[in-house]
Amino acid sequence: MWRWIWTRKWRLLALFVALSIAGWLIWTETLRAEFEDRLQALRDAGHPVNVADLDDAPIPDEENAAVLYAEAAEMIGRRPDAIEDPDPEYLEPEDYKEAADWLESKSHVVALLHEAAERPSWAFDVGWADDNRDRWRTLLGLGWAANDLLMNYAEKKAREGDAHEALRCVETIFRFADHLPPACTSLYIRRVSTYSYAMGTLQRISVAPSFDPDPAEERLAPFLASAVAIEPFVGAVRGDLAHALRMSRDWIEGGSPIPAIREISLADVMGDEPKEPTNAQKTVEWLLSSWVLRPFAIQDGIYLIEDYEKAARLLGSASLADLENTAKPDRGLPYVFSTVAGVPLAYYAEQMRDLRAHVAVTRAGLDALIHRKKHGSFPDDLTGSPLDPFTGKPLLYERREDGTARIEAARPLPYEGASIEVVEEWEIVWELK
């Protein structure tokens, strides 16, 4: 028997290699068929599986808010240095006049932003499939200048006694946030930060004598409710899935996943261009793109879909504690995208909790201001106000002897021993005067 095997060893070895290759190819095609079935199931459910699926449908210019936002952004220009100081008490008279004159000169831009915010639709033509970095930078940067202008203009109008216009500026910032499409994590974070910006502007104008909390609470309640809605988070997850699937398919078709990993987040696309890889990196890239590892690339794509589907289910139905306690599955192998590109649920949970804390403090602040308007002083406690999402208990509240009050969420500091500047920046607090 052994003699027979030995004399035919090369034939048997060739047969073994041929069967191994055939088995490997069959395994590869079986996984590819499963992967395509998963993609088709996502398509049938209406989820984006291609980056092109994220591109906005054409809408008439007269209905498109993005047209006016872009026009307004070009008209803002550079703000004077004096306007950086939010408290006019610390400005020299000539600096204050410079800031006030500049803001008044931009009243037509503010009117344009109001008009944009009231339009029903947004289609910015980012061109996700084209990876157009210039348009992407414009989209992410569009709100900063506009929101700064609206915040400073709202403060000016509040000081002048025009409470209606000041409150309308806050509304416009909220509407800008609602216009941002939930196409990826970066836009989701931009939406969250814009909501927080609007609430910060509301805090600033609330100290003006002309501020009336009753209409503010009535007009802003819908925006505060949408700020904690779950749909934008789920939409961002599905948008990120489309981006990750594009990269995963590149790997499946024989490309190296390493360049894709460098751009796994659209936030990275905003940064510097990737450096030229070294020879050692090129060797690793060639190995990863070889047909030998193709089944693992396809399996990774399947795991990727599973991870994002799980994330969407959790975001849609789970509590913050469930999100934070969800660990990434241990695959046993270094699957690239299912490990790197899987949605960081704990990070999403933290962003959701921060936003809910801003909403809770804002609602409690408005309740306290309404109480003072009706009864002449701030309330003894915050009974009936939203709970602090960080502790599950009532917000920290202090009513001082001088008639002022303070409302704060117990947001933990980003690191132990943080400086005073970081503490002040990190706090979610309303000083009521």
Side-chain angles (χ1 to χ4, degrees):
M1 177 67 179
W2 288 110
R3 181 180 177 83
W4 183 87
I5 294 176
W6 180 252
T7 57
R8 293 167 175 79
K9 60 180 181 297
W10 297 115
R11 295 178 183 177
L12 292 174
L13 179 60
L15 178 61
F16 173 77
V17 171
L19 290 175
S20 298
I21 293 175
W24 197 267
L25 292 176
I26 292 172
W27 182 39
T28 300
E29 290 308 310
T30 301
L31 289 174
R32 187 187 294 273
E34 181 182 353
F35 179 70
E36 292 298 331
D37 288 343
R38 296 286 187 112
L39 287 180
Q40 189 57 49
L42 289 173
R43 291 190 190 97
D44 293 342
H47 302 317
V49 296
N50 296 304
V51 183
D53 295 340
L54 301 175
D55 286 339
D56 299 307
I59 61 173
D61 283 352
E62 60 271 15
E63 298 178 10
N64 188 0
V67 173
L68 296 185
Y69 281 132
E71 182 181 342
E74 293 179 358
M75 298 165 62
I76 293 174
R78 184 181 179 277
R79 297 186 303 166
D81 293 338
I83 211 169
E84 298 294 338
D85 194 328
D87 193 341
E89 294 180 4
Y90 296 99
L91 291 177
E92 296 295 331
E94 61 273 15
D95 292 333
Y96 177 74
K97 184 177 185 306
E98 178 189 3
D101 290 346
W102 183 85
L103 285 171
E104 196 59 39
S105 72
K106 299 299 179 181
S107 59
H108 65 293
V109 182
V110 173
L112 194 61
L113 290 170
H114 291 330
E115 182 183 350
E118 292 171 357
R119 288 193 171 184
S121 304
W122 163 294
F124 196 76
D125 187 28
V126 175
W128 304 101
D130 302 331
D131 192 21
N132 190 308
R133 299 178 184 217
D134 290 337
R135 279 184 288 178
W136 174 241
R137 287 188 179 93
T138 302
L139 176 58
L140 278 185
L142 177 62
W144 295 120
N147 288 345
D148 281 339
L149 172 61
L150 288 166
M151 178 186 68
N152 295 130
Y153 195 81
E155 287 183 289
K156 177 178 182 294
K157 290 301 179 181
R159 289 194 299 268
E160 294 173 351
D162 190 350
H164 174 79
E165 177 61 22
L167 190 57
R168 192 181 182 195
C169 289
V170 177
E171 268 190 294
T172 295
I173 299 175
F174 271 117
R175 290 182 186 277
F176 177 80
D178 282 343
H179 270 142
L180 289 172
C184 61
T185 306
S186 296
L187 274 180
Y188 154 66
I189 299 303
R190 186 72 185 87
R191 178 183 287 216
V192 169
S193 64
T194 302
Y195 279 130
S196 300
Y197 209 100
M199 286 180 270
T201 303
L202 178 61
Q203 290 183 42
R204 291 189 177 197
I205 68 172
S206 67
V207 299
S210 63
F211 179 77
D212 189 345
D214 284 313
E217 201 282 332
E218 179 181 355
R219 290 169 62 176
L220 301 182
F223 300 107
L224 294 174
S226 66
V228 294
I230 203 70
E231 288 81 2
F233 302 91
V234 180
V237 169
R238 290 167 179 162
D240 274 344
L241 172 60
H243 288 283
L245 280 173
R246 182 200 68 180
M247 300 170 185
S248 183
R249 278 197 295 264
D250 288 345
W251 187 20
I252 291 171
E253 296 303 323
S256 168
I258 291 180
I261 294 172
R262 296 191 188 110
E263 296 186 358
I264 200 65
S265 166
L266 283 181
D268 295 335
V269 177
M270 292 290 292
D272 296 333
E273 296 289 338
K275 296 180 180 179
E276 180 68 23
T278 63
N279 290 332
Q281 290 172 330
K282 289 179 181 179
T283 302
V284 173
E285 290 187 24
W286 174 84
L287 176 63
L288 289 173
S289 64
S290 67
W291 68 271
V292 177
L293 295 182
R294 198 63 46 78
F296 298 102
I298 300 171
Q299 182 68 72
D300 194 29
I302 295 172
Y303 284 152
L304 179 68
I305 294 173
E306 291 177 353
D307 286 349
Y308 276 97
E309 287 180 331
K310 179 181 180 182
R313 287 195 300 271
L314 282 168
L315 285 169
S317 62
S319 67
L320 291 178
D322 292 332
L323 292 175
E324 291 171 330
N325 295 330
T326 301
K328 289 292 296 176
D330 184 6
R331 308 288 190 198
L333 284 171
Y335 290 108
V336 178
F337 288 105
S338 60
T339 300
V340 176
V343 175
L345 295 180
Y347 177 68
Y348 269 82
E350 190 64 30
Q351 293 296 321
M352 291 170 66
R353 189 163 56 182
D354 282 356
L355 185 58
R356 287 177 177 177
H358 278 287
V359 171
V361 169
T362 300
R363 284 192 175 277
L366 288 172
D367 289 344
L369 288 169
I370 291 173
H371 187 279
R372 185 183 65 173
K373 178 184 176 183
K374 293 179 177 179
H375 303 286
S377 63
F378 291 117
D380 296 329
D381 55 49
L382 296 178
T383 303
S385 295
L387 298 178
D388 187 339
F390 293 108
T391 63
K393 301 176 181 178
L395 295 161
L396 302 175
Y397 177 68
E398 176 189 9
R399 190 178 72 170
R400 306 185 183 101
E401 293 182 359
D402 62 358
T404 62
R406 176 185 176 91
I407 304 172
E408 182 179 0
R411 185 189 198 183
L413 291 175
Y415 56 87
E416 187 176 353
S419 65
I420 295 297
E421 290 80 5
V422 171
V423 171
E424 292 177 349
E425 179 71 21
W426 201 249
E427 289 176 331
I428 302 175
V429 59
W430 262 44
E431 288 285 354
L432 303 170
K433 301 178 182 179

